[in-house]
Amino acid sequence: MIKEVLAGKINPYLASDVELKQGQLVKLDPANVGKVIAAGAGDAVVGFVAQDVIAANVDNYKLDSVTHQARVGDKVGVYFGGGVFLTDMFVGNITVPGTKLYAGAGGKMTATASGNAVAEAETVGNAANGDEIRIKALV
């Protein structure tokens, strides 16, 4: 999950051929031009996916414009260029405001340094408790 507090920019021109969760860190798919996939530790992150990407055959009985979901293969919004957000897409226990966050497994942020920092924690939280943290995006 990711909620805008002070949004940066959004790129509406990328697509995804895989299911993604709103708020996951994404990178460009090296096998498919113009597509994104979940980022991992040390990857070159291009942003945070702005909506859930669900399988094309999932029927949720609601309009996608109401649920803010995209289907696999469709264009998806990707936040980039800074901004401030609330998110639960992190692992571990963030105990100090100002902690730099990095891409980790499954497109979640972690305090374990790997590659360039993607965000800075403005609040504290523990992923094991289901907490949300406020972040300042650096990508």
Side-chain angles (χ1 to χ4, degrees), residues 29-51:
D29 184 346
N32 296 297
V33 175
K35 307 274 176 103
V36 293
I37 57 176
D43 285 339
V45 173
V46 295
F48 302 84
V49 70
Q51 61 203 115

Side-chain angles (χ1 to χ4, degrees), residues 94-102 117 119-124 134 138:
I94 309 301
T95 58
V96 179
T99 299
K100 297 286 189 209
L101 301 171
Y102 303 85
E120 182 177 300
E122 293 188 341
T123 59
V124 299
R134 181 175 160 140
L138 302 177

Side-chain angles (χ1 to χ4, degrees), residues 51 54 60-71 74:
Q51 61 203 115
I54 61 173
N60 62 8
Y61 302 103
K62 295 181 184 175
L63 294 173
D64 291 340
S65 61
V66 174
T67 61
H68 304 288
Q69 294 175 331
R71 304 294 175 145
D74 289 347

Side-chain angles (χ1 to χ4, degrees), residues 106-125:
K108 291 188 176 186
M109 292 177 287
T110 177
T112 303
S114 178
N116 295 324
V118 296
E120 182 177 300
E122 293 188 341
T123 59
V124 299

Side-chain angles (χ1 to χ4, degrees), residues 10-20 24-39 46-54 69-79:
I10 194 162
N11 183 341
Y13 302 110
L14 297 170
S16 180
D17 283 340
V18 297
E19 292 184 47
L20 296 168
Q24 271 184 294
L25 295 168
V26 291
K27 67 176 184 174
L28 294 175
D29 184 346
N32 296 297
V33 175
K35 307 274 176 103
V36 293
I37 57 176
V46 295
F48 302 84
V49 70
Q51 61 203 115
D52 286 334
V53 180
I54 61 173
Q69 294 175 331
R71 304 294 175 145
V72 168
D74 289 347
K75 302 284 187 197
V76 298
V78 176
Y79 290 116

